[in-house]
mmCIF file of all heavy atoms in Angstrom:
data_model
loop_
_atom_site.group_PDB
_atom_site.id
_atom_site.type_symbol
_atom_site.label_atom_id
_atom_site.label_comp_id
_atom_site.label_asym_id
_atom_site.label_seq_id
_atom_site.Cartn_x
_atom_site.Cartn_y
_atom_site.Cartn_z
ATOM 1 N N LEU I 106 232.265 57.426 153.745
ATOM 2 C CA LEU I 106 233.339 56.387 153.771
ATOM 3 C C LEU I 106 234.724 57.140 153.488
ATOM 4 O O LEU I 106 234.643 58.091 152.665
ATOM 5 C CB LEU I 106 233.081 55.289 152.613
ATOM 6 C CG LEU I 106 231.851 54.517 152.864
ATOM 7 C CD1 LEU I 106 231.620 53.595 151.589
ATOM 8 C CD2 LEU I 106 231.827 53.625 154.042
ATOM 9 N N ALA I 107 235.672 56.580 154.046
ATOM 10 C CA ALA I 107 236.998 57.117 153.748
ATOM 11 C C ALA I 107 237.595 56.392 152.594
ATOM 12 O O ALA I 107 237.513 55.031 152.457
ATOM 13 C CB ALA I 107 237.961 56.987 154.987
ATOM 14 N N LEU I 108 238.290 56.994 151.697
ATOM 15 C CA LEU I 108 238.852 56.305 150.614
ATOM 16 C C LEU I 108 239.923 55.259 151.059
ATOM 17 O O LEU I 108 239.970 54.155 150.483
ATOM 18 C CB LEU I 108 239.620 57.395 149.678
ATOM 19 C CG LEU I 108 240.079 56.847 148.318
ATOM 20 C CD1 LEU I 108 239.062 56.112 147.582
ATOM 21 C CD2 LEU I 108 240.809 57.852 147.487
ATOM 22 N N ILE I 109 240.664 55.575 152.085
ATOM 23 C CA ILE I 109 241.744 54.406 152.436
ATOM 24 C C ILE I 109 240.951 53.241 152.887
ATOM 25 O O ILE I 109 241.424 52.237 152.622
ATOM 26 C CB ILE I 109 242.538 55.036 153.712
ATOM 27 C CG1 ILE I 109 243.743 54.188 153.793
ATOM 28 C CG2 ILE I 109 241.776 55.345 154.932
ATOM 29 C CD1 ILE I 109 244.982 54.843 154.337
ATOM 30 N N ASP I 110 239.680 53.396 153.491
ATOM 31 C CA ASP I 110 239.065 52.210 153.888
ATOM 32 C C ASP I 110 238.657 51.431 152.716
ATOM 33 O O ASP I 110 238.577 50.121 152.677
ATOM 34 C CB ASP I 110 237.765 52.496 154.898
ATOM 35 C CG ASP I 110 238.298 53.081 156.200
ATOM 36 O OD1 ASP I 110 239.305 52.639 156.747
ATOM 37 O OD2 ASP I 110 237.515 53.783 156.771
ATOM 38 N N ILE I 111 238.074 52.169 151.621
ATOM 39 C CA ILE I 111 237.614 51.451 150.501
ATOM 40 C C ILE I 111 238.800 50.763 149.810
ATOM 41 O O ILE I 111 238.707 49.735 149.389
ATOM 42 C CB ILE I 111 237.012 52.547 149.583
ATOM 43 C CG1 ILE I 111 235.807 53.132 150.115
ATOM 44 C CG2 ILE I 111 236.834 51.976 148.188
ATOM 45 C CD1 ILE I 111 235.086 54.310 149.304
ATOM 46 N N VAL I 112 239.919 51.385 149.800
ATOM 47 C CA VAL I 112 241.126 50.826 149.173
ATOM 48 C C VAL I 112 241.584 49.446 149.866
ATOM 49 O O VAL I 112 241.739 48.567 149.280
ATOM 50 C CB VAL I 112 242.292 51.789 149.044
ATOM 51 C CG1 VAL I 112 243.529 51.136 148.710
ATOM 52 C CG2 VAL I 112 242.011 52.976 148.157
ATOM 53 N N ARG I 113 241.442 49.473 151.208
ATOM 54 C CA ARG I 113 241.812 48.382 151.918
ATOM 55 C C ARG I 113 240.875 47.240 151.652
ATOM 56 O O ARG I 113 241.283 46.107 151.525
ATOM 57 C CB ARG I 113 241.884 48.659 153.445
ATOM 58 C CG ARG I 113 243.122 49.413 153.926
ATOM 59 C CD ARG I 113 243.020 49.834 155.420
ATOM 60 N NE ARG I 113 244.254 50.633 155.837
ATOM 61 C CZ ARG I 113 244.185 51.544 156.652
ATOM 62 N NH1 ARG I 113 243.160 51.809 157.405
ATOM 63 N NH2 ARG I 113 245.279 52.245 156.882
ATOM 64 N N GLU I 114 239.616 47.470 151.652
ATOM 65 C CA GLU I 114 238.589 46.593 151.429
ATOM 66 C C GLU I 114 238.556 45.972 149.949
ATOM 67 O O GLU I 114 238.308 44.728 149.748
ATOM 68 C CB GLU I 114 237.160 46.976 151.810
ATOM 69 C CG GLU I 114 237.032 47.349 153.311
ATOM 70 C CD GLU I 114 237.156 46.069 154.173
ATOM 71 O OE1 GLU I 114 236.852 45.000 153.726
ATOM 72 O OE2 GLU I 114 237.757 46.128 155.287
ATOM 73 N N VAL I 115 238.782 46.907 149.061
ATOM 74 C CA VAL I 115 238.881 46.497 147.613
ATOM 75 C C VAL I 115 240.090 45.510 147.360
ATOM 76 O O VAL I 115 240.138 44.631 146.637
ATOM 77 C CB VAL I 115 238.825 47.698 146.719
ATOM 78 C CG1 VAL I 115 239.222 47.334 145.382
ATOM 79 C CG2 VAL I 115 237.651 48.375 146.641
ATOM 80 N N THR I 116 241.119 45.858 148.201
ATOM 81 C CA THR I 116 242.356 45.009 148.046
ATOM 82 C C THR I 116 242.079 43.615 148.534
ATOM 83 O O THR I 116 242.390 42.578 147.899
ATOM 84 C CB THR I 116 243.506 45.614 148.974
ATOM 85 O OG1 THR I 116 243.791 46.959 148.500
ATOM 86 C CG2 THR I 116 244.781 44.729 148.833
ATOM 87 N N MET I 117 241.277 43.542 149.568
ATOM 88 C CA MET I 117 240.814 42.169 150.138
ATOM 89 C C MET I 117 239.965 41.474 149.027
ATOM 90 O O MET I 117 240.034 40.229 148.835
ATOM 91 C CB MET I 117 240.265 42.230 151.442
ATOM 92 C CG MET I 117 241.198 42.731 152.563
ATOM 93 S SD MET I 117 242.710 42.002 152.594
ATOM 94 C CE MET I 117 242.302 40.360 153.226
ATOM 95 N N PHE I 118 239.043 42.257 148.412
ATOM 96 C CA PHE I 118 238.147 41.761 147.489
ATOM 97 C C PHE I 118 238.886 41.150 146.190
ATOM 98 O O PHE I 118 238.551 40.142 145.594
ATOM 99 C CB PHE I 118 237.154 42.778 147.064
ATOM 100 C CG PHE I 118 235.947 42.324 146.185
ATOM 101 C CD1 PHE I 118 235.011 41.633 146.818
ATOM 102 C CD2 PHE I 118 236.134 42.527 144.898
ATOM 103 C CE1 PHE I 118 233.994 41.001 145.940
ATOM 104 C CE2 PHE I 118 235.116 41.967 143.978
ATOM 105 C CZ PHE I 118 233.960 41.402 144.490
ATOM 106 N N VAL I 119 239.993 41.816 145.855
ATOM 107 C CA VAL I 119 240.854 41.447 144.699
ATOM 108 C C VAL I 119 241.467 40.049 144.978
ATOM 109 O O VAL I 119 241.461 39.294 143.962
ATOM 110 C CB VAL I 119 241.847 42.587 144.259
ATOM 111 C CG1 VAL I 119 242.950 42.005 143.367
ATOM 112 C CG2 VAL I 119 241.265 43.817 143.882
ATOM 113 N N PHE I 120 241.764 39.762 146.162
ATOM 114 C CA PHE I 120 242.321 38.483 146.442
ATOM 115 C C PHE I 120 241.208 37.361 146.327
ATOM 116 O O PHE I 120 241.584 36.236 145.967
ATOM 117 C CB PHE I 120 242.722 38.373 147.855
ATOM 118 C CG PHE I 120 244.219 39.014 148.123
ATOM 119 C CD1 PHE I 120 244.378 40.167 148.744
ATOM 120 C CD2 PHE I 120 245.247 38.393 147.503
ATOM 121 C CE1 PHE I 120 245.484 40.717 148.901
ATOM 122 C CE2 PHE I 120 246.498 39.012 147.642
ATOM 123 C CZ PHE I 120 246.590 40.261 148.278
ATOM 124 N N LYS I 121 239.873 37.704 146.390
ATOM 125 C CA LYS I 121 238.821 36.703 146.244
ATOM 126 C C LYS I 121 238.433 36.364 144.951
ATOM 127 O O LYS I 121 237.828 35.322 144.611
ATOM 128 C CB LYS I 121 237.628 37.159 147.015
ATOM 129 C CG LYS I 121 237.939 37.320 148.510
ATOM 130 C CD LYS I 121 236.559 37.866 149.296
ATOM 131 C CE LYS I 121 236.825 38.163 150.697
ATOM 132 N NZ LYS I 121 235.741 38.786 151.327
ATOM 133 N N ILE I 122 238.559 37.493 143.973
ATOM 134 C CA ILE I 122 238.090 37.125 142.562
ATOM 135 C C ILE I 122 239.255 36.478 141.712
ATOM 136 O O ILE I 122 240.337 36.594 142.080
ATOM 137 C CB ILE I 122 237.643 38.511 141.933
ATOM 138 C CG1 ILE I 122 238.735 39.576 141.870
ATOM 139 C CG2 ILE I 122 236.448 39.040 142.542
ATOM 140 C CD1 ILE I 122 238.385 40.809 141.248
ATOM 141 N N LYS I 123 238.692 35.767 140.792
ATOM 142 C CA LYS I 123 239.552 34.984 139.891
ATOM 143 C C LYS I 123 240.158 35.816 138.741
ATOM 144 O O LYS I 123 239.379 36.386 138.046
ATOM 145 C CB LYS I 123 238.859 33.794 139.339
ATOM 146 C CG LYS I 123 239.629 32.891 138.566
ATOM 147 C CD LYS I 123 238.895 31.562 138.152
ATOM 148 C CE LYS I 123 239.759 30.689 137.388
ATOM 149 N NZ LYS I 123 239.021 29.404 136.978
ATOM 150 N N MET I 124 241.455 35.916 138.675
ATOM 151 C CA MET I 124 242.050 36.586 137.504
ATOM 152 C C MET I 124 243.591 36.165 137.367
ATOM 153 O O MET I 124 244.084 35.383 138.448
ATOM 154 C CB MET I 124 242.032 38.061 137.770
ATOM 155 C CG MET I 124 242.857 38.485 139.032
ATOM 156 S SD MET I 124 243.050 40.423 139.259
ATOM 157 C CE MET I 124 241.374 40.923 139.467
ATOM 158 N N PRO I 125 244.187 36.337 136.393
ATOM 159 C CA PRO I 125 245.614 35.822 136.072
ATOM 160 C C PRO I 125 246.496 36.493 137.217
ATOM 161 O O PRO I 125 246.337 37.650 137.564
ATOM 162 C CB PRO I 125 245.889 36.337 134.715
ATOM 163 C CG PRO I 125 244.650 36.567 134.019
ATOM 164 C CD PRO I 125 243.648 36.891 135.179
ATOM 165 N N SER I 126 247.495 35.694 137.710
ATOM 166 C CA SER I 126 248.282 36.162 138.777
ATOM 167 C C SER I 126 249.089 37.405 138.409
ATOM 168 O O SER I 126 249.268 38.303 139.318
ATOM 169 C CB SER I 126 249.172 35.074 139.200
ATOM 170 O OG SER I 126 250.042 34.656 138.176
ATOM 171 N N ASP I 127 249.604 37.536 137.193
ATOM 172 C CA ASP I 127 250.380 38.768 136.988
ATOM 173 C C ASP I 127 249.455 40.049 137.041
ATOM 174 O O ASP I 127 249.945 41.044 137.501
ATOM 175 C CB ASP I 127 251.122 38.635 135.499
ATOM 176 C CG ASP I 127 249.985 38.514 134.360
ATOM 177 O OD1 ASP I 127 248.998 37.840 134.555
ATOM 178 O OD2 ASP I 127 250.255 38.937 133.245
ATOM 179 N N VAL I 128 248.254 40.028 136.641
ATOM 180 C CA VAL I 128 247.323 41.103 136.718
ATOM 181 C C VAL I 128 247.149 41.420 138.189
ATOM 182 O O VAL I 128 247.087 42.536 138.564
ATOM 183 C CB VAL I 128 246.042 40.825 135.941
ATOM 184 C CG1 VAL I 128 245.104 41.992 136.018
ATOM 185 C CG2 VAL I 128 246.268 40.677 134.462
ATOM 186 N N ARG I 129 246.906 40.306 138.856
ATOM 187 C CA ARG I 129 246.496 40.392 140.294
ATOM 188 C C ARG I 129 247.696 41.130 141.151
ATOM 189 O O ARG I 129 247.587 42.008 141.824
ATOM 190 C CB ARG I 129 246.153 39.139 141.023
ATOM 191 C CG ARG I 129 245.781 39.268 142.408
ATOM 192 C CD ARG I 129 245.647 37.944 143.235
ATOM 193 N NE ARG I 129 245.060 36.852 142.436
ATOM 194 C CZ ARG I 129 243.632 36.652 142.326
ATOM 195 N NH1 ARG I 129 242.953 37.290 143.110
ATOM 196 N NH2 ARG I 129 243.089 35.671 141.621
ATOM 197 N N VAL I 130 248.938 40.671 140.814
ATOM 198 C CA VAL I 130 250.047 41.165 141.528
ATOM 199 C C VAL I 130 250.249 42.687 141.213
ATOM 200 O O VAL I 130 250.455 43.521 142.129
ATOM 201 C CB VAL I 130 251.331 40.457 141.024
ATOM 202 C CG1 VAL I 130 252.593 41.148 141.397
ATOM 203 C CG2 VAL I 130 251.225 38.994 141.706
ATOM 204 N N GLN I 131 250.063 43.021 139.930
ATOM 205 C CA GLN I 131 250.203 44.493 139.543
ATOM 206 C C GLN I 131 249.107 45.405 140.221
ATOM 207 O O GLN I 131 249.350 46.437 140.600
ATOM 208 C CB GLN I 131 250.122 44.562 138.059
ATOM 209 C CG GLN I 131 250.377 46.079 137.510
ATOM 210 C CD GLN I 131 251.731 46.592 137.954
ATOM 211 O OE1 GLN I 131 252.779 45.895 137.743
ATOM 212 N NE2 GLN I 131 251.736 47.778 138.451
ATOM 213 N N LEU I 132 247.875 44.779 140.322
ATOM 214 C CA LEU I 132 246.802 45.466 140.843
ATOM 215 C C LEU I 132 246.978 45.728 142.419
ATOM 216 O O LEU I 132 246.819 46.771 142.926
ATOM 217 C CB LEU I 132 245.503 44.682 140.606
ATOM 218 C CG LEU I 132 244.148 45.456 140.834
ATOM 219 C CD1 LEU I 132 244.054 46.732 140.139
ATOM 220 C CD2 LEU I 132 243.069 44.479 140.409
#
Side-chain angles (χ1 to χ4, degrees):
L106 302 174
L108 185 59
I109 195 155
D110 291 334
I111 292 171
V112 170
R113 285 182 184 144
E114 294 299 322
V115 166
T116 301
M117 298 309 294
F118 188 78
V119 166
F120 281 111
K121 295 177 187 175
I122 58 178
K123 187 175 180 179
M124 66 174 61
S126 59
D127 57 329
V128 176
R129 183 188 321 266
V130 167
Q131 185 61 47
L132 195 54

